[in-house]
Amino acid sequence: MSAEKPPLPFVYTFMAGAIAGVSEILVMYPLDVVKTRVQLQTGKGTGADQYNGMLDCFRKIVKNEGFSRLYRGITAPILMEAPKRATKFAANDKWGKFYRDLFGQAKMNQSLSVLTGASAGATEAFVVVPFELVKIRLQDKASAGKYNGMIDVVVKTVKSEGLLAMYNGLESTLWRHILWNAGYFGCIFQVRELIPKAETKKGQTINDIIAGTIGGTVGTIVNTPMDVVKSRIQNSPKVPGQVPKYNWAWPAVATVAKEEGFGALYKGFLPKVLRLGPGGGILLVVYTGVMDFFRQMRDGENA
């Protein structure tokens, strides 16, 4: 991550990103389930299928479906997290080097951090789309009896909608990841520049928590509208002869805003920001710690 530290081979970056991603999802996954449920809700009302906010959603899921439902669909994200987070950090490192060389910069700056993050997000999006589609369809209560698990979602989706349906929502996912990663990595760079340099390992961990949490929060503020429409696009099965209501990202944003109001574009924001704010801190702390561990191993071998 830091330009001042010697680079490590790609395999180390990949492994560190994977470990960081799985650590984050094991802690924060229930918030993702709640976020998806709220985002898929298109109306207002009462009853077990309608939620008046994050806490109401938590309460109704646990009461009506059982606590384990908060972890429904976690297999797909866990399988996704390793390549997803590994790709995020590895691509960020690779794109960072590419842009530094391209623009003749010895070190990262704010503009390059935003550009690098956006490029890493676009790269990451191609990896995660099929996993995201499976996760969204398993998390939706309306499909609880339709699928028996991750493999069943894949088989039924491919059979009824075709193989390319696994990449439904690619465009909106690209926008979501470009915006989040640009905000995340751009803020990490800026915060690290503004706060005092750490003199101890504990101080470095605190700085990483602060930088990662602020980065995750800003990224979430920027990309939530795209996350809302992505969830709806991926949860809309393709029917021959019919044009889906939610198909392309920006027209879907306009449709949601027109029919439900601008605030609907931020449905699920609270559980999302509570996950990705602190989650961004967890990611950065674990990633930095694992990379430092790998550096120590390498230095020990070379001693």
Side-chain angles (χ1 to χ4, degrees), residues 196-259:
K197 300 298 181 184
E199 301 295 335
T200 64
K201 183 67 177 177
K202 180 180 179 181
Q204 182 60 52
T205 299
I206 292 173
N207 283 0
D208 285 344
I209 291 174
I210 294 171
T213 300
I214 293 175
T217 300
V218 171
T220 302
I221 292 171
V222 171
N223 91 329
T224 294
M226 282 300 162
D227 194 36
V228 170
V229 299
K230 181 201 76 71
S231 294
R232 296 190 182 188
I233 290 169
Q234 291 190 314
N235 200 47
S236 302
K238 298 289 185 182
V239 178
Q242 294 184 14
V243 178
K245 181 178 181 179
Y246 306 109
N247 197 10
W248 298 98
W250 291 106
V253 166
T255 297
V256 172
K258 180 180 179 180
E259 294 182 355

Side-chain angles (χ1 to χ4, degrees), residues 37-44 50-51 225 228-229 232 245-246 251-268:
R37 290 285 186 95
V38 175
Q39 286 181 343
L40 293 177
Q41 181 173 282
T42 57
K44 296 181 179 180
Q50 294 293 322
Y51 311 112
V228 170
V229 299
R232 296 190 182 188
K245 181 178 181 179
Y246 306 109
V253 166
T255 297
V256 172
K258 180 180 179 180
E259 294 182 355
E260 303 171 51
F262 180 81
L265 292 170
Y266 278 85
K267 283 186 172 182

Side-chain angles (χ1 to χ4, degrees), residues 75-105:
T75 303
I78 282 183
L79 291 176
M80 171 181 70
E81 279 304 303
K84 173 184 175 181
R85 302 303 189 185
T87 300
K88 176 197 296 292
F89 286 102
N92 189 69
D93 280 356
K94 293 297 182 182
W95 280 113
K97 183 178 185 304
F98 172 79
Y99 287 128
R100 288 196 304 273
D101 293 342
L102 180 66
F103 295 107
Q105 298 291 324

Side-chain angles (χ1 to χ4, degrees), residues 144-191:
K146 184 176 180 181
Y147 305 113
N148 296 321
M150 182 183 71
I151 301 300
D152 194 41
V153 175
V154 174
V155 171
K156 289 180 177 176
T157 299
V158 172
K159 183 177 180 180
S160 62
E161 303 173 52
L163 182 61
L164 290 180
M166 294 303 300
Y167 270 84
N168 285 352
L170 172 60
E171 179 237 3
S172 56
T173 303
L174 277 166
W175 281 113
R176 184 185 80 153
H177 286 263
I178 287 171
L179 292 171
W180 196 88
N181 282 274
Y184 181 66
F185 287 110
C187 280
I188 285 174
F189 175 86
Q190 190 61 42
V191 172

